[in-house]
mmCIF file with all atom_site columns, all heavy atoms in Angstrom:
data_model
loop_
_atom_site.group_PDB
_atom_site.id
_atom_site.type_symbol
_atom_site.label_atom_id
_atom_site.label_alt_id
_atom_site.label_comp_id
_atom_site.label_asym_id
_atom_site.label_entity_id
_atom_site.label_seq_id
_atom_site.pdbx_PDB_ins_code
_atom_site.Cartn_x
_atom_site.Cartn_y
_atom_site.Cartn_z
_atom_site.occupancy
_atom_site.B_iso_or_equiv
_atom_site.pdbx_formal_charge
_atom_site.auth_seq_id
_atom_site.auth_comp_id
_atom_site.auth_asym_id
_atom_site.auth_atom_id
_atom_site.pdbx_PDB_model_num
ATOM 1  N N   . VAL U 1 130 ? 81.120 92.739 47.711 1.00 98.00 ? 130 VAL U N   1
ATOM 2  C CA  . VAL U 1 130 ? 80.849 91.307 47.615 1.00 98.00 ? 130 VAL U CA  1
ATOM 3  C C   . VAL U 1 130 ? 80.514 90.762 48.992 1.00 98.00 ? 130 VAL U C   1
ATOM 4  O O   . VAL U 1 130 ? 81.225 91.029 49.968 1.00 98.00 ? 130 VAL U O   1
ATOM 5  C CB  . VAL U 1 130 ? 82.074 90.542 47.067 1.00 98.00 ? 130 VAL U CB  1
ATOM 6  C CG1 . VAL U 1 130 ? 81.790 89.041 47.016 1.00 98.00 ? 130 VAL U CG1 1
ATOM 7  C CG2 . VAL U 1 130 ? 82.474 91.059 45.684 1.00 98.00 ? 130 VAL U CG2 1
ATOM 8  N N   . ALA U 1 131 ? 79.418 90.008 49.058 1.00 98.00 ? 131 ALA U N   1
ATOM 9  C CA  . ALA U 1 131 ? 79.075 89.278 50.277 1.00 98.00 ? 131 ALA U CA  1
ATOM 10 C C   . ALA U 1 131 ? 78.980 87.805 49.924 1.00 98.00 ? 131 ALA U C   1
ATOM 11 O O   . ALA U 1 131 ? 78.323 87.427 48.954 1.00 98.00 ? 131 ALA U O   1
ATOM 12 C CB  . ALA U 1 131 ? 77.733 89.766 50.832 1.00 98.00 ? 131 ALA U CB  1
ATOM 13 N N   . THR U 1 132 ? 79.673 86.982 50.692 1.00 98.00 ? 132 THR U N   1
ATOM 14 C CA  . THR U 1 132 ? 79.565 85.542 50.459 1.00 98.00 ? 132 THR U CA  1
ATOM 15 C C   . THR U 1 132 ? 79.329 84.838 51.778 1.00 98.00 ? 132 THR U C   1
ATOM 16 O O   . THR U 1 132 ? 79.889 85.224 52.807 1.00 98.00 ? 132 THR U O   1
ATOM 17 C CB  . THR U 1 132 ? 80.832 84.983 49.757 1.00 98.00 ? 132 THR U CB  1
ATOM 18 O OG1 . THR U 1 132 ? 80.603 83.602 49.427 1.00 98.00 ? 132 THR U OG1 1
ATOM 19 C CG2 . THR U 1 132 ? 82.076 85.073 50.627 1.00 98.00 ? 132 THR U CG2 1
ATOM 20 N N   . LEU U 1 133 ? 78.472 83.839 51.744 1.00 98.00 ? 133 LEU U N   1
ATOM 21 C CA  . LEU U 1 133 ? 78.240 83.089 52.971 1.00 98.00 ? 133 LEU U CA  1
ATOM 22 C C   . LEU U 1 133 ? 79.499 82.316 53.353 1.00 98.00 ? 133 LEU U C   1
ATOM 23 O O   . LEU U 1 133 ? 79.878 82.269 54.510 1.00 98.00 ? 133 LEU U O   1
ATOM 24 C CB  . LEU U 1 133 ? 77.059 82.123 52.803 1.00 98.00 ? 133 LEU U CB  1
ATOM 25 C CG  . LEU U 1 133 ? 76.785 81.312 54.060 1.00 98.00 ? 133 LEU U CG  1
ATOM 26 C CD1 . LEU U 1 133 ? 76.234 82.206 55.175 1.00 98.00 ? 133 LEU U CD1 1
ATOM 27 C CD2 . LEU U 1 133 ? 75.853 80.158 53.789 1.00 98.00 ? 133 LEU U CD2 1
ATOM 28 N N   . LEU U 1 134 ? 80.156 81.717 52.352 1.00 98.00 ? 134 LEU U N   1
ATOM 29 C CA  . LEU U 1 134 ? 81.299 80.840 52.620 1.00 98.00 ? 134 LEU U CA  1
ATOM 30 C C   . LEU U 1 134 ? 82.507 81.285 51.812 1.00 98.00 ? 134 LEU U C   1
ATOM 31 O O   . LEU U 1 134 ? 82.368 81.688 50.651 1.00 98.00 ? 134 LEU U O   1
ATOM 32 C CB  . LEU U 1 134 ? 80.950 79.393 52.252 1.00 98.00 ? 134 LEU U CB  1
ATOM 33 C CG  . LEU U 1 134 ? 79.705 78.799 52.931 1.00 98.00 ? 134 LEU U CG  1
ATOM 34 C CD1 . LEU U 1 134 ? 79.272 77.525 52.222 1.00 98.00 ? 134 LEU U CD1 1
ATOM 35 C CD2 . LEU U 1 134 ? 79.964 78.523 54.402 1.00 98.00 ? 134 LEU U CD2 1
ATOM 36 N N   . LEU U 1 135 ? 83.666 81.199 52.412 1.00 98.00 ? 135 LEU U N   1
ATOM 37 C CA  . LEU U 1 135 ? 84.910 81.542 51.715 1.00 98.00 ? 135 LEU U CA  1
ATOM 38 C C   . LEU U 1 135 ? 85.947 80.453 51.961 1.00 98.00 ? 135 LEU U C   1
ATOM 39 O O   . LEU U 1 135 ? 86.286 80.159 53.104 1.00 98.00 ? 135 LEU U O   1
ATOM 40 C CB  . LEU U 1 135 ? 85.452 82.889 52.217 1.00 98.00 ? 135 LEU U CB  1
ATOM 41 C CG  . LEU U 1 135 ? 86.867 83.271 51.751 1.00 98.00 ? 135 LEU U CG  1
ATOM 42 C CD1 . LEU U 1 135 ? 86.932 83.435 50.239 1.00 98.00 ? 135 LEU U CD1 1
ATOM 43 C CD2 . LEU U 1 135 ? 87.338 84.548 52.442 1.00 98.00 ? 135 LEU U CD2 1
#
Side-chain angles (χ1 to χ4, degrees):
V130 178
T132 186
L133 180 69
L134 304 165
L135 170 63

